[in-house]
Amino acid sequence: LGPLLDAWGVAFDQGKVLGDRGLGLTVSLRQGEPPSQHVAIVGLNRESMNSKDVVTSTLDSINVMTAGVLKKKDGAAIDFEPLLRSSSDSELLPVMRLAFLPDSRSLLEDFKPTGERYVVAARIHGKLKSAYPNGAPEGAQNGEHKAESAGDANLIVVADTDILADPLWVRTQNVFGQHFATAWANNGDFVANAVDNLAGSGDLISIRGRQSFFRPFTKVDDLRRHADEQLRAKEKELDTELKETERKLS
């Protein structure tokens, strides 16, 4: 999508992945391993969502995994309205750090939040320029070439291909041989709301994605995160002492 996004006025770096220490979910990547926080698997909450946009105003939680980040390019003529944003306790990680990841705890080492809230999904409105300003690309069917859209376009761009992956929002249970899927996050509601809204009809939007009145224990989560950071620092200190002792013994 690089040429399209560039023509539309949206900046996207495919070499960077969002890491969010404030909203990173606690997961277990391998069987038998204790759960730990994974900063690249992010649970976006109500504070992360645009409360004024009909697509996200009534949702509670959306989970994304190794998501990218969107920005409006300098000088772009489009309206760029963020729908989903990270917390301020975030930074951008190089893609290669997740390519051969031994464990999620290694991502927390040298993690330095920038204080910026990064955009994961955005609504784009306005006239869009063609990704092919010099005419239709080779092999395209003959037809009238337009340098820009005839009217204002209305798009929703999401920088995460995993947003509808089942493990991020659906829990499957086996009851007497029958499989039942239960949604535990609003990923599906987000996509359904977006489709209804972009299709041009607002009649059904009010019955989509009802608020679930979920109230997370944010204070407990902060205490747990702080304790985890202290334990990690102590573990590093003890590891250094152990290596020094082994050096002296040898």
Side-chain angles (χ1 to χ4, degrees), residues 1-12 73 76 129-131:
L1 293 178
L4 284 178
L5 294 175
D6 188 59
W8 296 345
V10 179
F12 173 75
K73 290 177 63 177
K129 296 186 180 298
S130 171

Side-chain angles (χ1 to χ4, degrees), residues 23 61 197 217:
L23 297 175
S61 65
N197 181 251
F217 295 102

Side-chain angles (χ1 to χ4, degrees), residues 96-159:
M96 290 308 297
R97 285 200 64 183
L98 288 98
F100 305 101
L101 187 66
D103 66 281
S104 58
R105 295 170 65 90
S106 63
L107 292 175
L108 290 167
E109 297 176 6
D110 303 322
F111 191 89
K112 297 178 181 177
T114 62
E116 182 178 350
R117 298 187 66 190
Y118 296 100
V119 178
V120 176
R123 183 187 292 274
I124 298 167
H125 183 76
K127 287 192 175 183
L128 305 180
K129 296 186 180 298
S130 171
Y132 306 97
N134 299 322
E138 185 179 352
Q141 294 181 353
N142 294 328
E144 182 184 357
H145 179 267
K146 295 181 179 180
E148 67 176 14
S149 58
D152 287 343
N154 190 24
L155 308 173
I156 291 178
V157 181
V158 184

Side-chain angles (χ1 to χ4, degrees), residues 12 64-70 119-122 157-162:
F12 173 75
V64 295
M65 181 167 62
T66 59
V69 167
L70 305 169
V119 178
V120 176
V157 181
V158 184
D160 181 38
T161 57
D162 300 303

